[in-house]
Coordinates of all heavy atoms in Angstrom, one line a residue:
R1 N 0.8 -1.2 0.0 CA 0.0 0.0 0.0 C 0.9 1.3 0.0 O 0.5 2.3 -0.7 CB -0.9 0.0 1.2 CG -2.0 -1.0 1.1 CD -3.1 -0.7 2.2 NE -2.6 -0.8 3.5 CZ -2.6 -2.0 4.3 NH1 -3.0 -3.1 3.7 NH2 -2.1 -2.0 5.5
L2 N 2.0 1.2 0.8 CA 2.9 2.4 0.8 C 3.5 2.6 -0.6 O 3.5 3.8 -1.0 CB 4.0 2.1 1.8 CG 5.1 3.2 1.9 CD1 4.5 4.5 2.3 CD2 6.2 2.8 2.9
K3 N 3.9 1.5 -1.3 CA 4.5 1.7 -2.6 C 3.5 2.2 -3.6 O 3.8 3.1 -4.4 CB 5.1 0.4 -3.1 CG 6.3 0.0 -2.4 CD 6.9 -1.3 -3.0 CE 8.2 -1.7 -2.3 NZ 8.8 -3.0 -2.8
D4 N 2.2 1.7 -3.5 CA 1.1 2.2 -4.4 C 0.9 3.7 -4.1 O 0.7 4.5 -5.1 CB -0.1 1.4 -4.1 CG 0.0 0.0 -4.6 OD1 0.9 -0.3 -5.4 OD2 -0.8 -0.9 -4.2
T5 N 0.9 4.1 -2.8 CA 0.6 5.5 -2.5 C 1.7 6.4 -3.0 O 1.5 7.5 -3.6 CB 0.5 5.6 -1.0 OG1 -0.5 4.8 -0.5 CG2 0.2 7.1 -0.6
Q6 N 3.0 5.9 -2.9 CA 4.1 6.7 -3.4 C 4.0 6.9 -4.9 O 4.2 8.0 -5.5 CB 5.4 5.9 -3.1 CG 6.0 6.2 -1.7 CD 7.3 5.5 -1.5 OE1 7.5 4.4 -1.9 NE2 8.3 6.3 -1.0
S7 N 3.6 5.8 -5.7 CA 3.5 5.9 -7.1 C 2.4 6.9 -7.5 O 2.5 7.7 -8.4 CB 3.1 4.5 -7.7 OG 4.2 3.6 -7.4
Q8 N 1.2 6.8 -6.7 CA 0.1 7.7 -7.0 C 0.5 9.2 -6.7 O 0.2 10.1 -7.5 CB -1.1 7.4 -6.1 CG -1.7 6.0 -6.5 CD -2.7 5.6 -5.4 OE1 -3.0 6.3 -4.5 NE2 -3.3 4.4 -5.6
L9 N 1.3 9.4 -5.7 CA 1.8 10.8 -5.4 C 2.7 11.3 -6.4 O 2.6 12.5 -6.8 CB 2.4 10.8 -4.0 CG 1.5 10.7 -2.8 CD1 2.3 10.6 -1.5 CD2 0.6 12.0 -2.7
I10 N 3.6 10.4 -6.9 CA 4.6 10.8 -8.0 C 3.8 11.2 -9.2 O 4.1 12.2 -9.9 CB 5.6 9.7 -8.2 CG1 6.6 9.6 -7.0 CG2 6.4 10.0 -9.5 CD1 7.5 8.5 -7.1
Q11 N 2.8 10.3 -9.6 CA 2.0 10.6 -10.8 C 1.2 11.9 -10.6 O 1.0 12.7 -11.5 CB 1.0 9.4 -11.0 CG 0.2 9.6 -12.3 CD 1.1 9.6 -13.5 OE1 2.2 9.1 -13.5 NE2 0.6 10.2 -14.6
S12 N 0.7 12.1 -9.4 CA 0.0 13.4 -9.1 C 0.8 14.6 -9.3 O 0.4 15.6 -9.8 CB -0.5 13.3 -7.6 OG -1.1 14.6 -7.3
E13 N 2.1 14.5 -8.8 CA 3.0 15.6 -9.0 C 3.3 15.9 -10.5 O 3.3 17.0 -11.0 CB 4.4 15.3 -8.3 CG 5.5 16.4 -8.6 CD 5.1 17.7 -8.0 OE1 4.3 17.8 -7.1 OE2 5.5 18.7 -8.6
K14 N 3.4 14.8 -11.3 CA 3.6 14.9 -12.7 C 2.4 15.5 -13.4 O 2.5 16.4 -14.3 CB 4.0 13.6 -13.4 CG 5.4 13.1 -13.0 CD 5.7 11.7 -13.6 CE 7.1 11.2 -13.3 NZ 7.4 9.9 -13.9
M15 N 1.2 15.1 -13.0 CA 0.0 15.6 -13.6 C -0.2 17.1 -13.2 O -0.7 17.9 -14.0 CB -1.2 14.8 -13.1 CG -1.2 13.4 -13.7 SD -1.1 13.4 -15.5 CE -2.7 14.1 -15.9
A16 N 0.2 17.5 -11.9 CA 0.1 18.9 -11.5 C 1.1 19.7 -12.4 O 0.7 20.8 -12.8 CB 0.5 19.0 -10.0
S17 N 2.2 19.2 -12.6 CA 3.2 19.9 -13.5 C 2.6 20.1 -14.9 O 2.7 21.2 -15.5 CB 4.5 19.1 -13.6 OG 5.3 19.6 -14.6
L18 N 1.9 19.0 -15.4 CA 1.3 19.1 -16.7 C 0.2 20.1 -16.7 O -0.1 20.9 -17.7 CB 0.8 17.7 -17.2 CG 0.2 17.6 -18.6 CD1 1.2 18.1 -19.6 CD2 -0.3 16.2 -18.9
G19 N -0.6 20.1 -15.6 CA -1.7 21.1 -15.5 C -1.2 22.5 -15.5 O -1.8 23.4 -16.2
E20 N -0.1 22.8 -14.8 CA 0.4 24.1 -14.8 C 0.9 24.5 -16.2 O 0.7 25.6 -16.6 CB 1.6 24.2 -13.8 CG 1.1 24.1 -12.3 CD 2.2 24.0 -11.3 OE1 3.4 23.8 -11.8 OE2 2.0 24.1 -10.1
L21 N 1.5 23.6 -16.8 CA 2.0 23.8 -18.2 C 0.9 24.1 -19.1 O 0.9 25.0 -19.9 CB 2.8 22.6 -18.7 CG 3.4 22.7 -20.1 CD1 4.5 23.8 -20.2 CD2 4.0 21.4 -20.5
T22 N -0.2 23.3 -19.0 CA -1.4 23.5 -19.9 C -2.0 24.8 -19.7 O -2.4 25.5 -20.7 CB -2.4 22.4 -19.6 OG1 -1.8 21.1 -19.7 CG2 -3.6 22.5 -20.6
A23 N -2.1 25.3 -18.4 CA -2.7 26.6 -18.2 C -1.8 27.7 -18.8 O -2.4 28.6 -19.4 CB -2.7 26.8 -16.7
G24 N -0.5 27.5 -18.7 CA 0.4 28.5 -19.4 C 0.2 28.6 -20.9 O 0.2 29.6 -21.5
I25 N 0.2 27.4 -21.5 CA 0.0 27.3 -22.9 C -1.3 27.9 -23.4 O -1.4 28.6 -24.4 CB 0.2 25.8 -23.3 CG1 1.6 25.3 -23.2 CG2 -0.2 25.6 -24.8 CD1 1.8 23.9 -23.4
A26 N -2.4 27.5 -22.6 CA -3.7 28.1 -23.0 C -3.7 29.6 -23.0 O -4.3 30.3 -23.8 CB -4.7 27.5 -22.0
H27 N -3.0 30.1 -21.9 CA -3.0 31.6 -21.8 C -2.1 32.2 -22.9 O -2.5 33.2 -23.5 CB -2.4 32.0 -20.5 CG -2.6 33.4 -20.1 ND1 -1.7 34.4 -20.4 CD2 -3.6 34.0 -19.5 CE1 -2.1 35.5 -19.9 NE2 -3.3 35.4 -19.4
E28 N -1.0 31.5 -23.2 CA -0.1 32.1 -24.2 C -0.6 31.9 -25.6 O -0.5 32.8 -26.5 CB 1.3 31.4 -24.1 CG 2.3 32.1 -25.1 CD 3.7 31.5 -24.9 OE1 3.8 30.5 -24.2 OE2 4.6 32.0 -25.5
I29 N -1.4 30.8 -25.9 CA -1.9 30.6 -27.2 C -3.0 31.5 -27.6 O -3.3 31.7 -28.8 CB -2.3 29.1 -27.4 CG1 -2.2 28.6 -28.8 CG2 -3.7 28.9 -26.8 CD1 -2.4 27.2 -29.0
Q30 N -3.6 32.1 -26.6 CA -4.8 33.0 -26.9 C -4.3 34.2 -27.7 O -5.1 34.7 -28.6 CB -5.3 33.5 -25.6 CG -6.7 34.3 -25.7 CD -7.8 33.4 -26.3 OE1 -8.0 32.3 -25.9 NE2 -8.4 33.9 -27.4
N31 N -3.1 34.7 -27.5 CA -2.6 35.9 -28.2 C -2.5 35.6 -29.7 O -3.1 36.4 -30.5 CB -1.2 36.3 -27.6 CG -0.8 37.6 -28.2 OD1 -1.6 38.5 -28.4 ND2 0.5 37.8 -28.4
P32 N -1.8 34.6 -30.2 CA -1.7 34.3 -31.7 C -3.1 34.0 -32.2 O -3.4 34.4 -33.4 CB -0.8 33.2 -31.8 CG -0.7 32.6 -30.5 CD -0.9 33.6 -29.5
L33 N -4.0 33.4 -31.5 CA -5.3 33.1 -32.0 C -6.1 34.4 -32.2 O -6.9 34.5 -33.1 CB -6.1 32.1 -31.0 CG -5.6 30.7 -31.0 CD1 -6.3 29.9 -29.9 CD2 -5.7 30.0 -32.3
N34 N -5.9 35.3 -31.2 CA -6.6 36.6 -31.4 C -6.2 37.3 -32.7 O -7.0 37.9 -33.5 CB -6.3 37.5 -30.2 CG -7.1 37.1 -29.0 OD1 -8.1 36.4 -29.1 ND2 -6.6 37.5 -27.8
F35 N -4.9 37.2 -33.0 CA -4.4 37.8 -34.2 C -5.0 37.1 -35.4 O -5.4 37.7 -36.4 CB -2.8 37.7 -34.3 CG -2.1 38.8 -33.6 CD1 -1.5 38.5 -32.4 CD2 -2.0 40.0 -34.1 CE1 -0.8 39.5 -31.7 CE2 -1.3 41.0 -33.5 CZ -0.7 40.8 -32.3
V36 N -5.0 35.7 -35.4 CA -5.6 35.0 -36.5 C -7.1 35.4 -36.7 O -7.5 35.7 -37.9 CB -5.5 33.5 -36.2 CG1 -6.3 32.7 -37.3 CG2 -4.1 33.0 -36.3
N37 N -7.9 35.5 -35.7 CA -9.3 35.9 -35.8 C -9.4 37.3 -36.3 O -10.3 37.6 -37.2 CB -10.0 35.7 -34.4 CG -10.1 34.3 -34.0 OD1 -10.1 33.4 -34.8 ND2 -10.2 34.1 -32.7
N38 N -8.7 38.2 -35.8 CA -8.8 39.6 -36.2 C -8.4 39.8 -37.6 O -9.1 40.5 -38.4 CB -7.9 40.5 -35.3 CG -8.4 40.6 -33.9 OD1 -9.6 40.3 -33.6 ND2 -7.5 40.9 -32.9
F39 N -7.3 39.2 -38.1 CA -6.9 39.4 -39.5 C -7.8 38.7 -40.4 O -8.0 39.1 -41.6 CB -5.4 38.9 -39.6 CG -4.4 39.9 -39.2 CD1 -3.6 39.6 -38.1 CD2 -4.3 41.2 -39.7 CE1 -2.6 40.5 -37.7 CE2 -3.4 42.1 -39.3 CZ -2.5 41.8 -38.2
S40 N -8.4 37.6 -40.0 CA -9.4 36.9 -40.8 C -10.6 37.7 -41.0 O -11.1 37.9 -42.2 CB -9.8 35.6 -40.1 OG -8.7 34.7 -40.0
E41 N -11.1 38.4 -39.9 CA -12.3 39.2 -40.1 C -12.0 40.4 -41.0 O -12.8 40.8 -41.8 CB -12.7 39.7 -38.7 CG -13.3 38.6 -37.8 CD -13.7 39.1 -36.4 OE1 -13.5 40.4 -36.2 OE2 -14.1 38.3 -35.6
L42 N -10.8 41.0 -40.8 CA -10.4 42.1 -41.6 C -10.3 41.8 -43.1 O -10.7 42.5 -44.0 CB -9.0 42.7 -41.1 CG -8.5 43.9 -41.8 CD1 -9.5 45.1 -41.6 CD2 -7.2 44.4 -41.2

């Protein structure tokens, strides 16, 4: 049970890291998408 818990915690840390990365990417990708939408409308 201890080893399973350790594995779950390590995976949780990796998923937390991925979540933080995803949030950053989503925020950063909004800028080029705004440009694409604006120039398309224009």
Side-chain angles (χ1 to χ4, degrees):
R1 289 195 297 272
L2 178 60
K3 288 183 177 178
D4 290 343
T5 302
Q6 278 186 310
S7 299
Q8 291 169 5
L9 286 171
I10 290 172
Q11 184 63 25
S12 172
E13 175 63 28
K14 291 182 178 178
M15 292 305 294
S17 171
L18 182 59
E20 292 172 348
L21 178 68
T22 305
I25 290 172
H27 194 269
E28 186 177 7
I29 206 173
Q30 190 62 48
N31 190 36
L33 288 178
N34 287 338
F35 276 106
V36 171
N37 292 334
N38 292 338
F39 282 116
S40 296
E41 291 176 4
L42 184 59

